[in-house]
Amino acid sequence: MYKIGILTSGGDAPGMNAAVRAVVRTAISHGARPFAIYDGYQGMIDNRIKEFGWRDVGGILHKGGTIIGTARCAAFRTREGRLAAAENLLSHGIDKLVVCGGDGSLTGANLFRLEWDSLLAELVETGRIMPESAEKHATLTLAGLAGSIDNDLCGTDMTIGADTALHRITTAIDQISSTAASHQRSFVVEVMGRNCGYLAMMGAIAAGADWALIPESPPNLDNWEDKMCAVLREGRKTGRRDSIVVIAEGARDRHGNPISSDYVKQVLEERLGEDTRLTILGHVQRGGAPTVYDRNLSTLTGAEAVRATLDPDNAGKAFLIGTKGNKISQIDLEEALGLTQKVAEAIANKDFELAMSLRGSSFRQAFRILRTLVRALPHDPDPDKDRIRIALLNAGAPAPGMNTAVRAAVRLGVDKGHEMLAVRNGFRGLIRGDLIEQDWMSVNGWVNTGGAELGSNRKIPTGSDFYAIARNLEENNIQALLIIGGWSGYKAAHELYSRRREFPAFDIPIVCLPATIDNDLPSSELSVGCDTALNSITEAVDKIKQSAVASQRVFVVEVMGRTCGYLALMSALATGAERVYLPEEGVTLRDLQSDVQQLIDGFEHGKRLGMVICNEAVNPIYDTRFISALFEEEGGELFDVRHAILGHLQQGGDPSPFDRIQASRLALECLEQIEKSVAVGGSDSVMVGLVRSKINKTSFDQMMRQMDMETERPLNQWWMEIRPIARTLAAPVAQAVG
Ligand code: ADP
């Protein structure tokens, strides 16, 4: 029987617990034996290694840090230390390791693997292990999980903990903005990132900061201080009440000299004469409950790490298990570490172009968006460029991030010299002719507000509405339409598109940007708003679980999503719910009978808490109330049942950093699409979205082929393949606890 060791090492990162849970439970479900190694390499050297069972990792998904501890261990850097580590692993029969840690931890792990042969030979020679043991465990197989809040590892799009850290940073800057605005102050906010500007750059985009300094791309001027101050001064003149500069701890100038946050504060005080405060966010960035993204990234990569290390073809190899283009990925660990090293070297050698190119196209694009958005005022219009009159509107139920998308579209549009008009109240407003010209400051402060400031509803035009819309488009000389919203917006857009012959006013580029918490749109794997909704659901479920610590209780929680089970499945994965009902699968009386029996068996074997997540449209008869009543009746004395319908809290709340960043990124793409069409006198109408983390554009004709019009959801949904993992990791009957 295979034995797998799991350790967490280096700086702790939120999400490490989910990785430990996934490794332990996946190993058990594959018939292997998992061993937790405490406090990173120190526990390996001190032989603090303990076999874990299913329940040892129950109830830890929501916890920050790592329950098995982490440490920095100088002894592991020595051969003597690694000899002891190998000896101890062999004393448990472990020759497969999953290491969750940063660049340093994974470098150490790889060295250990490469030396394994010679370490075992020396241990045999000195009589510390038996030759048979060395023969039996001739190779060490290694899977690395990138555990680092800085997002500084190459070979994966995201590291475990980075999304949570970005949440902490964004919330902190939101809060600082409100106090800064009250006093008209300037703030310098220092965030982590020695060689990686991800947190500073994304934090600045997400929170709408006014300037950012990152290690990979220093200001390309010697007098960058003048430029920064000029932009901030302009910002004040145009009405901004606060100025916020975000700086990565590893920021430097183009000569490689460090730029300290103290220095930036001093510059702002001296040159702008402003009352400036400095906040160094420090360890709060690491702390607290992991976000849904980090929990699910850890869970999915942890499960894959076990699969990879158990594969006999992989004996003696080392992989980094991460994510590429929204899919779990596996690359050679040495290659990943080599690339990471190259970025650090490029920065040290002041080859910033190489550093930026190694970071990849999404990173570069984000930096470009940041540079445009921080500008206090738009550029003077380019006289050679066409000015386009663009109307934009929200449509469908409100989704967090709609305002961010409108803000980005207006600012990027104005910056490009276009005339931007906002339509109030969705298609109702377009029918009434309720359009208002926008300028740079009309969307000030919209980056972080939930809801839809412009107003949004599910109106789909019919009959005479089309005449009214055509007239309003013509009277306002609208040359392009940008619709930011959900399925009803897409349908309405399609209605206009299909009436082009009748109404020439509709023969303009019509572009849709996906914004709905339901994540049920064609042409995009993720829509703006669903990340925020998932985090809201998960926070609520965490609280509901906490409320039940002392009782024998089953909760049935109903979540939104209309006919799409995305929110239900992903929140079940993030909260460790043991059963999830999806509209794609439906639910039958037989399912319910078997589920009730499983719950009864579980509670008879010591289970204290049950969590079931149910999509709102899973079955018209067997709905949340029905399922709760059935479980309650059948549970008898063994457990009681409560249901919670989460309702509109899922559509509200401040948008998450991910939703804000996607909203800004997609808005830029939509504008560029409109420009491209207008430039050639065309009227291409497309939906812009994200597929495998890359921008994807789909024509309206293709859209209809991608949709199941009866259920109103896409025919192919990428996340459906995650269902087996969610099922495996949910507690099995006899052992279940959270
Ligand atoms: P992180 O993994 O977060 O980058 P560190 O760089 O501090 O954190 O590394 C964590 C631990 O990994 C170190 O304390 C040490 O035990 C081990 N380690 C790091 N680099 C090496 C190395 N080159 N050789 C052996 N062990 C190493």
Side-chain angles (χ1 to χ4, degrees), residues 552-556 578-579 581 591-612 627-628 630-632 634-635 638-641 731-734 736:
Q552 306 271 103
R553 185 163 283 178
V554 173
F555 286 102
V556 181
E578 42 268 273
R579 186 67 168 98
Y581 297 118
D591 293 333
L592 292 172
Q593 260 174 336
S594 136
D595 293 342
V596 142
Q597 196 51 51
Q598 284 199 15
L599 285 170
I600 290 172
D601 291 345
F603 278 92
E604 278 176 347
H605 288 86
K607 183 179 177 65
R608 288 179 16 229
L609 175 65
M611 179 59 67
V612 174
I627 294 172
S628 308
L630 178 79
F631 287 2
E632 172 76 24
E634 295 293 316
L638 210 49
F639 56 85
D640 61 16
V641 182
V733 181

Side-chain angles (χ1 to χ4, degrees), residues 9-11 41 71-78 82 101-109 111 147-148 194:
S9 169
Y41 296 117
R72 297 214 154 83
C73 169
F76 195 72
R77 292 180 186 269
T78 67
R82 295 193 291 276
D103 180 21
S105 304
L106 299 180
T107 304
L111 176 67
S148 159
R194 263 168 299 167

Side-chain angles (χ1 to χ4, degrees), residues 13-20 61 63-65 100 160-161 164 288 290 294-295 298-299:
M16 282 181 161
N17 283 326
V20 173
L61 276 176
K63 290 189 178 159
C100 182
I160 293 168
T164 308
D294 278 328
R295 295 184 200 193
S298 306
T299 296

Side-chain angles (χ1 to χ4, degrees), residues 151-179:
N151 204 22
D152 53 353
L153 261 119
C154 295
T156 179
D157 290 347
M158 285 294 278
T159 56
I160 293 168
D163 186 64
T164 308
L166 191 55
H167 270 250
R168 303 288 172 267
I169 291 166
T170 306
T171 307
I173 304 179
D174 283 352
Q175 288 164 353
I176 286 169
S177 298
S178 62
T179 161

Side-chain angles (χ1 to χ4, degrees), residues 62 66 241 446 466 486 488 501 593:
H62 64 287
T66 157
R241 290 188 55 85
W446 286 27
F466 295 109
S488 48
R501 284 225 184 108
Q593 260 174 336

